[in-house]
C-alpha cells in the first residue's frame, strides 16, 4: 500500500478547492485529470475528495464496494426536497426496495412495446415541421422525451402540460444544481426568493404527477405500466406508501427526459459538424427502412445509428458526473489509503477522454463502437449510464428511445445548426447544451413532410 495521497492541488487554507469547484465544476474536474492524472486528491472545505478515473478503481467503487461507498449525504440532503427518498436518492435497504418496485417497468418485453410509442411520438413531434423551417432543437427534443416518459411509464398524455413541465423541471434542476455544485444545502425554511422559486417548481411537478395518479384512479385499470404497478401495490397490498409513489414517479419523470433529450441535441450538433457521419447514417436508414418508420424489429439492425448515439454519449455523457459517493470506513483504493468520510467523484465525461482507451478523444468517431467494440474495453472505461447496483434503470429504454428518435427524424429531415452561441456544454446536474439551439430543418425527400 502507498502511504502518500494521490497527487492533486493544494487549494486554499480551510476552503481547499471549493471556489474552483463552485466557479466551473466541469472545467475544474477536467483540468484536474489533465494535470494530475486518473486518481486525484483535493479538498472541498475541510473534507478530503478524490476524482477517481482509473477504470479498475471506478469498478471497485461502483461494483465491488458500493456498500462502503454509498451516495454522499450532503448532496442527498440538497436534492431530497424534490426527489424525496426514492430510487435516485435512497441508500441501502430502502434503495434496494425502491429499485425492486420499479424494475418490472423496464423488463425487455415491455421495452418492445415502448418502441412503438417512441416512433409515434417522434413522428408526432415533427408533424408540424416544415421544410426550411427554423426551430429550437432542445425544445423540440424535450417535448418528445417528456411525452415518451409520460406515455410509457404512466400511460398519460402530456401534450397539454409539456411547456409547464419543461419549465418547472428546468427551474428545479437549475436551482438544485446551484446548491449541488457548491455542496451546500440551503434549508427550505429560509424565507428567500430562491426558496420561493424552488418551492413553486416542486409544487408544480408534484401537481403534474399527482394528476397522473388521479387520472389512473378514475378507471383503476391495470395498464401494465409503472404507474399501474405502483398503484396496485399501493391500494391492494399497501406495501407502496404515498411517499413511495410520489418519489418514484418524480424520479422517473426527472431522470427520464432531460438526459435523453440533451443526448439527442448533442447528436444533432455532432452530425451537423460531421457530414461524412451524417451521410453514413442516411445510407443505413435508407437501406434498413426504405422510407417506412422504424419498428422494434428494426432496432438491432440500426447498428450505425446506435454507434452514433454511443459515441455521442462518450463525448457528451449527459450524466456527466455521478452522484458523489462517500466512504463509510477507511478504504484502500488503487493502493492509496482513503480515509472514512471522504468524497469520491466519478465523472464519465472525464473518464471518456482517456486517450489510452479512446485515442484522440475529442474526435467524434462512431467507428469506435463498431461491432460492440466497447465490450473489449476494461470495465469502468465507458460508463455513460454508471455501473453496478446503481446503474441507470432506464439505460436500455434511453438507448432505444434515442436511436429510434434519431432514426425517425433523420430519415425525414436534415438538421442544420444556425445557433450563433458557442455550442459548449455546461455541467451541473446534467451536461446541458446551451438553451435555445436554433436549427433549420430541410426535408430529405420531396415526400418527407407528407410522410411525417
Ligand atoms: C441518455 C439518457 C440517460 C443517461 C445518460 C442516464 C444516465 C444515468 C446515470 C449515469 C446514472 C447513475 C447515477 C449514479 O450512479 O450516480 C443514472 C441513474 C438513474 N437513471 Fe438514468 N440516464 C438516462 C436516461 C434515463 C431514463 C430514460 C430513465 C427512466 C425512464 C432513467 C432513470 C434512472 C434512474 C431511476 C436512476 C437511479 C438508479 C439508482 O440509483 O438505482 N435514466 N442514469
Amino acid at each position: 500500500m502507498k502511504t502518500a495521497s494521490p497527487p492533486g492541488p493544494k487549494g486554499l487554507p480551510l476552503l481547499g478547492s471549493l471556489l474552483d469547484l463552485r466557479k466551473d465544476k466541469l472545467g475544474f474536474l477536467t483540468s484536474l485529470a489533465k494535470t494530475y492524472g486518473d486518481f486525484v486528491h483535493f479538498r472541498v472545505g475541510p473534507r478530503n475528495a478524490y476524482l477517481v478515473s482509473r477504470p479498475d478503481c471506478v469498478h471497485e467503487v461502483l461494483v465491488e464496494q458500493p456498500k462502503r461507498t454509498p451516495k454522499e449525504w450532503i448532496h442527498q440532503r440538497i436534492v431530497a426536497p424534490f426527489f424525496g427518498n426514492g430510487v435516485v436518492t435512497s441508500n441501502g435497504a430502502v434503495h434496494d426496495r425502491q429499485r425492486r418496485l420499479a424494475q418490472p417497468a423496464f423488463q425487455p418485453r415491455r421495452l418492445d412495446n415502448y418502441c412503438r410509442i417512441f416512433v409515434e411520438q417522434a413522428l408526432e413531434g415533427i408533424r408540424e415541421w416544415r421544410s426550411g423551417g427554423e426551430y429550437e432543437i432542445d425544445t423540440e427534443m424535450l417535448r418528445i422525451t417528456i411525452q415518451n416518459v409520460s406515455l410509457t411509464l404512466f400511460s398519460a398524455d402530456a401534450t397539454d402540460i409539456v411547456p409547464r413541465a419543461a419549465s418547472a423541471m428546468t427551474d428545479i434542476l437549475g436551482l438544485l444544481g446551484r446548491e449541488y455544485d457548491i455542496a451546500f444545502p440551503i434549508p427550505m425554511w429560509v424565507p428567500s426568493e430562491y426558496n420561493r422559486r424552488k418551492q413553486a417548481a416542486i409544487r408544480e411537478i408534484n401537481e403534474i404527477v399527482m394528476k397522473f395518479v388521479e387520472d389512473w384512479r378514475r378507471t383503476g385499470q391495470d395498464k401494465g405500466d409503472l404507474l399501474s404497478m405502483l398503484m396496485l401495490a399501493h391500494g391492494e397490498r399497501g406495501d407502496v406508501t404515498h411517499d413511495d409513489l410520489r418519489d418514484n414517479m418524480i424520479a422517473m419523470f426527472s431522470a427520464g427526459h432531460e438526459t435523453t433529450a440533451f443526448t439527442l441535441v448533442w447528436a444533432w450538433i455532432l452530425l451537423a459538424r460531421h457530414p461524412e457521419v451524417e451521410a453514413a447514417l442516411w445510407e443505413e436508414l435508407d437501406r434498413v427502412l426504405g422510407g417506412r418508420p422504424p419498428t422494434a424489429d428494426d432496432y438491432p439492425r440500426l447498428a450505425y445509428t446506435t454507434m452514433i448515439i454511443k459515441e455521442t454519449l462518450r463525448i457528451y455523457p449527459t450524466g456527466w458526473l455521478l452522484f458523489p459517493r462517500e466512504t463509510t470506513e477507511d478504504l484502500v483504493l488503487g493502493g492509496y489509503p482513503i480515509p472514512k468520510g471522504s468524497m469520491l467523484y466519478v465523472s464519465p465525461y472525464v473518464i471518456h477522454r482517456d486517450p489510452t482507451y479512446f485515442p484522440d478523444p475529442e474526435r467524434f468517431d462512431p467507428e469506435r463502437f463498431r461491432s460492440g467494440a466497447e465490450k473489449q474495453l476494461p470495465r469502468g472505461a465507458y460508463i455513460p449510464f454508471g455501473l453496478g447496483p446503481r446503474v441507470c434503470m432506464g439505460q436500455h429504454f434511453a438507448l432505444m428511445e434515442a436511436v429510434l428518435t434519431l432514426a425517425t427524424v433523420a430519415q425525414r429531415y436534415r438538421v442544420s445548426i444556425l445557433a450563433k452561441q458557442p455550442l459548449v456544454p455546461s455541467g451541473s446536474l446534467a451536461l446541458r447544451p446551451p438553451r435555445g439551439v436554433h436549427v433549420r430543418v430541410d426535408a430529405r425527400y420531396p415526400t418527407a413532410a407528407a410522410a411525417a
Side-chain angles (χ1 to χ4, degrees):
M1 182 173 87
K2 300 164 189 151
T3 46
S5 270
K10 266 180 83 108
L12 298 169
L14 298 175
L15 293 175
S17 298
L18 186 61
L19 299 182
D20 292 323
L21 203 61
R22 177 180 182 170
K23 203 163 97 203
D24 173 12
K25 202 176 200 171
L26 178 66
F28 174 64
L29 294 180
T30 311
S31 77
L32 281 189
K34 277 203 183 116
T35 314
Y36 300 102
D38 55 12
F39 205 138
V40 185
H41 171 247
F42 58 106
R43 281 186 307 106
V44 180
R47 292 180 71 186
N48 286 304
Y50 298 84
L51 176 64
V52 184
S53 317
R54 255 175 61 178
D56 58 332
C57 299
V58 168
H59 191 263
E60 192 164 343
V61 171
L62 300 177
V63 183
E64 292 161 42
Q65 304 265 16
K67 290 210 158 38
R68 299 157 83 196
T69 55
K71 290 193 172 177
E72 197 272 338
W73 73 275
I74 294 183
H75 289 82
Q76 265 182 323
R77 183 179 287 183
I78 289 168
V79 296
F82 180 53
F83 283 104
N85 202 22
V87 65
V88 173
T89 35
S90 52
N91 273 327
V94 178
H95 171 258
D96 293 347
R97 179 173 162 275
Q98 299 286 26
R99 199 157 166 126
R100 262 198 316 276
L101 278 177
Q103 196 70 58
F106 297 98
Q107 280 167 353
R109 70 185 164 85
R110 289 192 195 271
L111 293 179
D112 273 5
N113 291 333
Y114 297 163
C115 284
R116 185 184 43 79
I117 294 180
F118 298 152
V119 174
E120 278 172 10
Q121 288 312 309
L123 289 173
E124 181 58 27
I126 59 174
R127 194 161 51 89
E128 296 194 354
W129 281 13
R130 292 291 164 258
S131 190
E134 295 181 11
Y135 304 92
E136 286 184 352
I137 197 72
D138 43 337
T139 310
E140 300 296 302
M141 294 299 111
L142 275 169
R143 199 174 55 226
I144 293 174
T145 59
I146 289 181
Q147 270 288 43
N148 281 341
V149 83
S150 308
L151 284 166
T152 51
L153 300 184
F154 312 130
S155 301
D157 186 339
T159 316
D160 297 337
I161 50 115
V162 164
R164 248 177 83 202
S167 125
M169 284 307 296
T170 308
D171 268 6
I172 187 65
L173 296 179
L175 290 165
L176 289 177
R178 278 202 246 160
E179 288 172 60
Y180 195 85
D181 286 350
I182 55 169
F184 186 78
I186 298 172
M188 288 298 272
W189 51 260
V190 174
S192 61
E193 172 60 15
Y194 177 86
N195 268 346
R196 195 197 55 70
R197 281 182 56 201
K198 201 160 82 177
Q199 271 153 352
I202 294 175
R203 222 177 11 252
E204 185 84 339
I205 301 288
N206 275 346
E207 277 172 20
I208 288 171
V209 297
M210 284 306 142
K211 170 85 172 44
F212 293 163
V213 170
E214 265 170 46
D215 291 346
W216 186 91
R217 283 208 169 102
R218 237 171 262 136
T219 63
Q221 229 177 29
D222 182 358
K223 301 194 178 104
D225 58 3
L226 176 70
L227 178 57
S228 301
M229 259 179 269
L230 295 173
M231 289 303 288
L232 292 170
H234 174 58
E236 286 168 11
R237 301 195 298 277
D239 50 6
V240 170
T241 65
H242 182 271
D243 285 349
D244 289 335
L245 183 65
R246 181 243 169 233
D247 294 350
N248 280 315
M249 289 181 71
I250 296 273
M252 296 303 163
F253 194 66
S254 325
H257 72 269
E258 274 205 341
T259 40
T260 320
F262 294 161
T263 301
L264 284 159
V265 174
W266 289 120
W268 293 121
I269 292 173
L270 289 165
L271 280 172
R273 286 180 187 158
H274 295 84
E276 72 294 353
V277 176
E278 188 182 50
L281 169 66
W282 288 335
E283 187 283 320
E284 172 169 279
L285 297 177
D286 294 347
R287 177 169 42 78
V288 174
L289 305 173
R292 62 174 172 78
T295 64
D297 291 340
D298 294 316
Y299 174 66
R301 296 160 62 212
L302 294 171
Y304 192 72
T305 318
T306 306
M307 287 156 61
I308 291 175
I309 293 296
K310 287 184 178 169
E311 175 68 344
T312 302
L313 281 166
R314 182 188 70 78
I315 299 194
Y316 296 121
T318 44
W320 76 279
L321 179 65
L322 303 194
F323 206 102
R325 306 308 209 252
E326 164 176 29
T327 52
T328 55
E329 50 190 279
D330 292 346
L331 290 184
V332 176
L333 201 58
Y336 293 109
I338 309 291
K340 176 179 172 181
S342 301
M343 292 202 274
L344 304 178
Y345 287 83
V346 175
S347 166
Y349 184 89
V350 170
I351 293 170
H352 295 175
R353 281 167 169 69
D354 184 337
T356 320
Y357 308 110
F358 302 105
D360 194 2
E362 295 298 338
R363 188 166 51 89
F364 175 61
D365 180 10
E367 290 301 325
R368 297 181 204 268
F369 292 92
R370 169 89 46 206
S371 312
E374 72 276 16
K375 296 195 185 87
Q376 309 304 319
L377 293 170
R379 287 175 302 176
Y382 177 67
I383 55 162
F385 295 105
L387 211 59
R390 304 212 68 137
V391 71
C392 174
M393 290 192 77
Q395 64 172 328
H396 302 298
F397 178 113
L399 203 57
M400 279 185 161
E401 180 185 14
V403 167
L404 291 172
T405 307
L406 187 72
T408 309
V409 179
Q411 190 185 24
R412 290 163 175 74
Y413 287 99
R414 167 177 221 167
V415 175
S416 314
I417 305 291
L418 302 177
K420 298 261 185 307
Q421 74 267 51
L423 296 173
V424 289
S426 59
S428 185
L429 283 174
L431 192 75
R432 296 191 70 97
R435 281 181 220 286
V437 178
H438 200 186
V439 300
R440 196 189 63 234
V441 304
D442 293 291
R444 281 194 54 225
Y445 318 112
T447 53

